[in-house]
Amino acid sequence: AHLIVAGVERWLHRCLHQPAHPESREREGEGSRRPWPHVLGVEGLRASAGPGYFAALLEEALRGRVQPLTRQIEMDLRRTFPGHATLSEPAGQEQLRQVLMAYAQRDPGVGYVQGMGLIAALMLIVVGDTELAFWCLAAVIETRLPARYFDAELCGARVEMAVFADLLEGLLPTVATTLHDSGVSPELYA
């Protein structure tokens, strides 16, 4: 377990403190953005839905069928990666809005709940395309997360937070105690 924690710490340090090399970005080009859709199995979901599916969902959502959720989505747009160059701009927020509204239309049983915006925003940043980010979000929610992770009660998310808190206490008790003593609950970081 200590090796895993040490590995994650090294990876985070590299991500946060080592700038990307421009020449490697040029070499990788757009292909460097495409592993996520492949790993998530986006093509299977996309193929089963048929051509034009995303556009149709978005059109239906914009006609007001997800209207009750619009207010919550609008509130969360400004809170989602507020300092990010793309997502803090109107065009980036519009892309995120489209992804979230289309997904709410796709799965009315789930609709939209807080937390989905973070996944959608990350997918937008990584893949750089609104429709592809939508399919990545759908794949994460529908094939990677436990059932009921995103539902009205956030059952899956609550279980994950409790498991994470237990792991933190077991693996990093000093960090767990410091966070607890500072009034920081697992809901803020799990």
Side-chain angles (χ1 to χ4, degrees):
H2 292 296
L3 291 175
I4 294 170
V5 171
V8 169
E9 287 173 347
R10 283 192 306 274
W11 177 77
L12 282 172
H13 185 269
R14 280 196 313 270
C15 289
L16 295 173
H17 300 291
Q18 291 181 355
H21 299 290
E23 62 276 1
S24 68
R25 291 240 188 264
E26 290 171 16
R27 250 192 339 268
E28 293 170 358
E30 284 298 309
S32 65
R33 296 174 169 222
R34 302 301 178 200
W36 279 105
H38 176 72
V39 167
L40 292 171
V42 162
E43 287 311 312
L45 280 176
R46 205 177 200 177
S48 68
Y53 180 75
F54 173 74
L57 279 178
L58 189 55
E59 183 180 323
E60 192 71 22
L62 294 175
R63 273 193 264 165
R65 293 205 51 211
V66 293
Q67 197 63 31
L69 303 173
T70 303
R71 190 169 139 233
Q72 186 63 48
I73 289 171
E74 291 300 320
M75 286 176 25
D76 289 349
L77 288 176
R78 292 182 299 278
R79 299 182 215 169
T80 306
F81 299 126
H84 189 272
T86 301
L87 295 174
S88 60
E89 295 294 321
Q93 288 184 2
E94 179 59 27
Q95 287 181 299
L96 184 55
R97 178 182 297 107
Q98 290 176 4
V99 171
L100 295 172
M101 290 185 73
Y103 191 80
Q105 183 68 34
R106 175 180 171 85
D107 190 347
V110 171
Y112 172 78
V113 294
Q114 282 187 307
M116 291 171 78
L118 294 172
I119 297 171
L122 181 60
M123 291 299 127
L124 266 173
I125 291 167
V126 171
V127 301
D129 176 81
T130 307
E131 183 175 356
L132 197 51
F134 161 79
W135 285 111
C136 286
L137 175 66
V140 167
I141 292 173
E142 297 168 17
T143 68
R144 299 293 192 241
L145 293 175
R148 297 189 56 210
Y149 190 87
F150 285 121
D151 65 4
E153 293 82 33
L154 293 173
C155 183
R158 290 175 192 255
V159 169
E160 182 178 277
M161 287 182 255
V163 169
F164 185 81
D166 288 347
L167 285 170
L168 189 64
E169 284 180 27
L171 298 173
L172 300 167
T174 305
V175 172
T177 301
T178 302
L179 289 171
H180 180 268
D181 292 349
S182 300
V184 179
S185 67
E187 291 84 7
L188 298 174
Y189 59 82

